């Protein structure tokens, strides 16, 4: 498949986990794929540019560099995110601000910088990484769930704002996915094997979601076969939500 031939895609958080799998898949399907990340080391054919989604100047410079080097921008995957644990009492205000700054405001910053370029593309699409945490009522994830609920709402609002400009905006809502992020969580658990088994059992299909499965959903929402789809959030969660 070369559905992204001639198109340029940026993936924030594209150097690890879901973002890396997405950048690789878009490149395999013909895109020039650029990982925007705090640590942008990626292997060819991917390109990496350093960007911090909490820093407006950094985001603007990175998007400008993409357009200068590759001539256009068609697809934005807003995927960079950080986690937070605990109930609503667990995190002080500055932690709420930090997590919301990365997970929500970061997406707005990237969109702000990218929209003037996306408006020139006949294939413009934005895909945001939400989470099943926004829907499932997970314990000990108050701040993280709130941030991802905001991502889902932002997706719908942006879809409404930009549909008549020909820019589609959708999101994916992964269940627990097998990425370095979850690896770090497991490593910090008292019994990583039992913790992994508990995470697997939480999903009706009995295993973690793979980063490639999420990437496949992102690529669908970024590509021409979803040309009539905007304002949706696609669950990739083994049936965790809705069964
Ligand atoms: P990961 O930790 O493997 O990768 C995240 C990437 O984002 C890293 O490369 C990191 O450097 C980058 N990043 C973090 N802060 C950044 C910033 N300020 N600016 C630019 N880049 C930054 O994580 P994973 O698991 O691949 O998660 C990716 C997205 O998927 C996140 O938005 C996360 O909330 C979401 N997600 C993950 C799930 C999981 O179980 N792994 C489940 C549901 C959603």
């Amino acid at each position: 498949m070369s559905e992204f031939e001639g198109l340029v895609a940026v993936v924030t958080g594209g150097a690890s986990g879901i973002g890396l799998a997405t950048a690789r898949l878009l490149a395999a399907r013909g895109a020039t794929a650029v990982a925007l990340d705090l640590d942008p080391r990626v292997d060819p054919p991917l390109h990496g540019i350093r960007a911090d989604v909490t820093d407006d100047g950094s985001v603007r410079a990175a998007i400008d560099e993409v357009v200068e080097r590759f001539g256009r921008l068609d697809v934005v995957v807003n995927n960079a995110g950080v986690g937070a644990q605990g109930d609503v009492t667990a995190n002080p205000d500055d932690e709420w601000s930090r997590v919301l700054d990365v997970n929500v405001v970061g997406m707005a910053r990237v969109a702000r910088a990218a929209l003037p370029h996306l408006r020139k593309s006949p294939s413009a699409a934005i895909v945001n990484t939400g989470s099943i945490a926004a829907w499932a009522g997970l314990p000990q994830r108050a701040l993280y769930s709130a941030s991802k609920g905001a991502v889902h709402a932002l997706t719908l609002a942006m879809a409404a704002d930009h549909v008549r400009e020909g820019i589609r905006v959708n999101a994916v809502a992964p269940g627990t996915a097998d990425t370095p992020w979850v690896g770090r969580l497991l490593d910090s658990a008292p019994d990583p094997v039992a913790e992994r088994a508990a995470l697997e059992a939480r999903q009706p299909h009995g295993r973690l979601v793979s980063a490639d499965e999420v990437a496949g959903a992102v690529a669908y929402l970024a590509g021409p076969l979803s040309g009539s789809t905007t304002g949706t959030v696609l669950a990739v969660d083994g049936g965790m939500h809705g069964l």
Side-chain angles (χ1 to χ4, degrees):
M1 259 195 289
S2 55
E3 65 202 89
F4 294 100
E5 205 65 59
L7 304 186
V8 176
V10 297
V11 182
T12 69
S16 176
I18 290 168
L20 179 59
T22 300
R24 283 183 176 144
L25 184 58
L26 295 177
R29 293 187 184 175
T32 298
V34 188
L36 304 188
D37 205 299
L38 292 174
D39 178 357
R41 283 173 294 180
V42 285
D43 295 324
L46 304 187
H47 304 271
I49 295 177
R50 192 187 178 282
D52 178 351
V53 300
T54 68
D55 176 344
D56 196 53
S58 161
V59 167
R60 286 186 182 283
I63 296 290
D64 284 352
E65 186 178 338
V66 168
V67 175
E68 269 163 34
R69 278 172 64 183
F70 306 112
R72 56 189 294 150
L73 179 57
D74 305 280
V75 171
V76 170
V77 181
N78 261 323
N79 166 80
V82 292
Q85 299 193 50
D87 69 16
V88 76
T89 67
N91 295 291
D93 283 6
D94 58 352
E95 186 64 358
W96 277 79
S97 299
R98 186 185 77 84
V99 172
L100 292 169
D101 199 23
V102 180
N103 291 6
V104 186
V105 190
M107 293 194 181
R109 284 189 191 98
V110 174
R112 253 176 355 219
L115 275 165
H117 307 292
L118 294 178
R119 287 191 184 104
K120 296 178 194 158
S121 168
S123 311
I126 298 175
V127 184
N128 299 327
T129 306
S131 171
I132 208 64
W135 288 330
L138 298 182
Q140 302 299 316
R141 293 288 185 277
L143 165 53
Y144 180 70
S145 300
S147 77
K148 291 300 183 176
V151 168
H152 293 191
L154 176 65
T155 300
L156 192 56
M158 286 173 61
D161 284 335
H162 302 295
V163 62
R164 293 194 195 288
E165 297 176 328
I167 302 169
R168 297 182 302 105
V169 187
N170 292 287
V172 289
T176 305
D178 207 349
T179 69
W181 168 327
V182 170
R184 290 190 295 273
L185 264 182
L186 294 177
D187 288 345
S188 66
D191 183 347
V193 175
E195 183 68 17
R196 188 182 175 98
L199 290 177
E200 288 172 347
R202 200 168 69 174
Q203 292 181 163
H205 73 339
R207 62 171 175 82
L208 300 188
V209 174
S210 77
D212 287 337
E213 289 169 331
V214 183
V218 175
Y220 166 67
L221 292 171
L225 291 176
S226 66
S228 292
T229 301
T230 192
T232 65
V233 182
L234 177 56
V236 189
D237 66 344
M240 193 169 167
H241 170 72
L243 291 187

